[in-house]
Amino acid sequence: MAIPSFTGNANPYGGGDPYADYRTAEFPFTQYANLAARELGAGVIAANDEFFAERENLLIAEAGHFDPEHFGHKGKVMDGWETRRRRGVSAEQPWPTAEDHDYALIRLGAPGVIRGIVVDTAHFRGNMPQAVSVQGASVEGSPTEAELLSDDVKWTTLVERTPVGGHAANGFEVNVEQRFTHLRLNQHPDGGIARLRVYGEVRPDPKWLAVLGTFDVVALENGGSVEDASNRFYSPPTNTINPGRSRKMDDGWETARRRDNGNDWIRYQLVAESEIRAVEIDTAYLKGNSAGWASLSIKTGEEGEWTEFLPRTRLQPDTNHRFVLDAPAVGTHVRIDIFPDGGFSRLRLFGSLTEAGAAAHAARHQELGG
């Protein structure tokens, strides 16, 4: 799938809906988790310049906001990260050099393999960068800006220096089979970026999971993922494995109303082969629209047979349901079926990796440079 390329300025804002002329496209990697989500613990550690707009805006979950009347002491207030205009060294050389650029250092919320990046310049119509580039590094612990910029850190190019368009979602597919913990977002030579999204697969440190012992084997931050779902009408199924409790109704998964005798479902891939011993199904904030009943099934491998380990059970609205299993459920994939439709906010599957699962996870970690 070819990803559309946007370049050049967008038209000046002419009134009405500011997103009416926003340039965007379908990207082949947005089914993956956003590794740069604040909910996962991502942060913008530093930026060399943020004169007009703060670097922290890059990771706000909501789309960029635009108020044409909002001006401050430094000029137009923008919802993004915006640097001042670069200048040359003298009246004879007033232009920035080809090497001049601004940067922001981002700590991913969860380390992982990056499949795609979106550099969103929403509302930056003529003040976006001319081009961007992105680099990744794998640094354990909690490095400072100085430590990340030291010669000891190896940066790998994920996105070559590429022209971008104003007021557009600029998407880049990434084909680097490595595990990264930090990014360096560069804008050449200066300008503004509204949002950064980093889509990929979470790959935690096997030593961390081994020390935990019992943990949530489907949690996004531990390496679980959503493979597929029957319906994504109101909210994405990945919400159900996000960290923490749901904070509002759309922070879970809710389907459209069914008008047939079918049911809705989500299929998950666990971090690796696991032994599940306890379950939580939370319907927080879903009251008149929570699922009526739910069941859970498990299988090993893509070709395995589904085996039910939690029979169809009545769910209550706005309630966290806990189940201790009579016998452990072992497998690599889990499916939740809800009847007939509706939603829930979180699924927690507490257990530990099997010996085979731990070995496979450790081997994959080594393949990715761990």
Side-chain angles (χ1 to χ4, degrees):
M1 174 181 176
I3 297 178
S5 177
F6 304 111
T7 57
N9 294 346
N11 291 326
Y13 175 65
D17 177 8
Y19 275 103
D21 61 342
Y22 177 66
R23 296 180 284 180
T24 188
E26 294 291 328
F27 300 120
F29 46 73
T30 54
Q31 75 272 22
Y32 294 103
N34 177 19
L35 304 183
R38 286 290 297 171
E39 293 82 359
L40 279 175
V44 186
I45 296 172
N48 70 304
D49 186 285
E50 48 184 330
F51 185 86
F52 287 113
E54 297 85 356
R55 64 184 190 263
E56 288 86 358
N57 291 334
L58 282 170
L59 306 188
I60 292 175
E62 294 76 21
H65 174 72
F66 181 72
D67 180 353
E69 304 299 326
H70 194 186
F71 286 83
H73 294 294
K74 294 181 179 179
K76 181 74 186 71
V77 175
M78 296 294 289
D79 185 9
W81 168 49
E82 185 180 7
T83 67
R84 72 193 79 201
R85 299 185 189 217
R86 280 186 168 269
R87 300 298 188 224
V89 295
S90 67
E92 289 70 32
Q93 292 294 328
W95 307 280
T97 69
E99 291 73 34
D100 285 342
H101 69 278
D102 292 319
Y103 68 83
L105 299 175
I106 295 98
R107 178 190 66 247
L108 297 179
V113 181
I114 297 168
R115 301 303 183 191
I117 294 173
V118 174
V119 177
D120 187 352
T121 58
H123 314 302
F124 291 93
R125 294 171 174 271
N127 51 347
M128 72 290 173
Q130 182 183 35
V132 300
S133 61
V134 184
Q135 299 159 290
S138 183
V139 184
E140 295 308 313
S142 305
T144 64
E145 176 186 9
E147 289 169 334
L148 286 172
L149 295 177
S150 73
D151 293 337
D152 296 332
V153 174
K154 176 189 175 184
W155 290 95
T156 300
T157 298
L158 306 180
V159 177
E160 299 280 357
R161 182 170 174 168
T162 307
V164 293
H167 198 43
N170 300 277
F172 306 94
E173 198 161 14
V174 176
N175 296 298
V176 180
E177 205 67 14
Q178 289 178 237
R179 176 182 180 268
F180 296 102
T181 61
H182 293 76
L183 295 186
R184 176 172 170 149
L185 171 63
N186 304 304
Q187 44 178 335
H188 307 269
D190 54 40
I193 296 169
R195 299 289 187 265
L196 176 70
R197 306 293 188 233
V198 182
Y199 297 97
E201 304 168 35
V202 176
R203 292 293 175 183
D205 188 336
K207 291 184 292 185
W208 175 253
L209 298 185
V211 168
L212 290 179
T214 294
F215 59 92
D216 182 359
V217 297
V218 76
L220 182 60
E221 60 188 328
N222 292 332
S225 61
V226 169
E227 280 198 328
D228 201 1
S230 60
N231 190 282
R232 302 165 188 258
F233 191 86
Y234 286 112
S235 45
T238 302
N239 284 352
T240 62
I241 55 174
N242 275 345
R245 298 292 183 193
S246 173
R247 297 167 298 168
K248 51 195 174 86
M249 192 175 74
D250 67 350
D251 191 17
W253 176 58
E254 183 188 355
T255 72
R257 299 190 186 208
R258 276 193 170 267
R259 304 304 186 191
D260 58 23
N261 291 330
N263 74 283
D264 288 314
W265 50 268
I266 304 175
R267 188 173 70 244
Y268 303 92
Q269 181 167 336
L270 309 181
V271 56
E273 185 182 72
S274 303
E275 182 180 274
I276 301 167
R277 296 184 289 274
V279 172
E280 284 187 1
I281 302 174
D282 193 354
T283 59
Y285 295 99
L286 292 147
K287 298 181 179 180
N289 47 3
S290 65
W293 293 262
S295 65
L296 289 167
S297 303
I298 195 166
K299 71 174 183 176
T300 299
E302 293 293 342
E303 305 303 321
E305 295 290 329
W306 290 108
T307 301
E308 188 176 76
F309 66 95
L310 182 72
R312 192 177 303 186
T313 302
R314 188 76 166 97
L315 300 182
Q316 299 300 322
D318 196 28
T319 300
N320 189 29
H321 308 76
R322 288 179 168 174
F323 308 94
V324 175
L325 303 182
D326 294 332
V330 177
T332 58
H333 297 72
V334 165
R335 170 176 166 140
I336 186 169
D337 286 272
I338 62 170
F339 300 89
D341 56 20
F344 61 97
S345 62
R346 295 289 188 271
L347 174 68
R348 305 296 187 210
L349 304 176
F350 296 105
S352 54
L353 300 185
T354 64
E355 186 175 338
H361 187 248
R364 181 63 172 148
H365 186 70
Q366 289 297 317
E367 288 175 5
L368 298 172

